[in-house]
Amino acid sequence: MGGHEGHQHDEGHTVAGWSGTAVATAGAALAGVGVCGWAPGIWMGAAVLVAAALLTWALHLTGWGKAPGPRPAAQWGMGTRDHSARAGHADCLGCRLAGRRPAPASGASPARTRVTATAAPVAAPRRS
């Protein structure tokens, strides 16, 4: 069987996701060994976990991750690179932390599309 025939959900099968998971697993194992008695393992495991987060983030920013939410089935798979990552993904914390903010679809700035709660005063009707 080749891949995604068994389900219709995109579960983030990306290079960034799998690489980060592998490195984080190694970090958790090191920390576990540290808890069991080898004290340097706790600190080494913590350092490897931080490295896993940074690796995943770097791979996401270079296009080997995916935007938040489901992707079309044609984009599923490990070898699919996301070329829109350079501009930033909407609602993506990783892209926002890197300073990447996609342009609004309408071309207007977000400040112009904001709705305010206060309304202009309405003139009272004149009495004759």
Side-chain angles (χ1 to χ4, degrees):
M1 197 161 18
H4 299 285
E5 290 87 4
H7 59 83
Q8 296 300 314
H9 304 285
D10 174 29
E11 297 178 12
H13 300 111
T14 64
V15 172
W18 284 106
S19 299
T21 299
V23 175
T25 300
L30 271 171
V33 169
V35 168
C36 291
W38 185 55
I42 294 174
W43 300 109
M44 291 174 67
V48 172
L49 287 170
V50 169
L54 294 174
L55 171 70
T56 305
W57 186 35
L59 287 171
H60 171 79
L61 293 176
T62 57
W64 291 107
K66 72 175 203 70
R71 293 182 293 175
Q75 294 179 359
W76 292 4
M78 285 280 292
T80 306
R81 191 158 184 194
D82 179 11
H83 296 287
S84 67
R86 287 192 165 207
H89 299 115
D91 300 325
C92 178
L93 176 62
C95 289
R96 283 196 313 265
L97 288 173
R100 298 179 180 180
R101 300 185 196 282
S106 65
S109 72
R112 284 189 227 149
T113 58
R114 211 174 274 156
V115 178
T116 60
T118 60
V122 179
R126 297 177 102 183
R127 295 186 184 208
S128 347

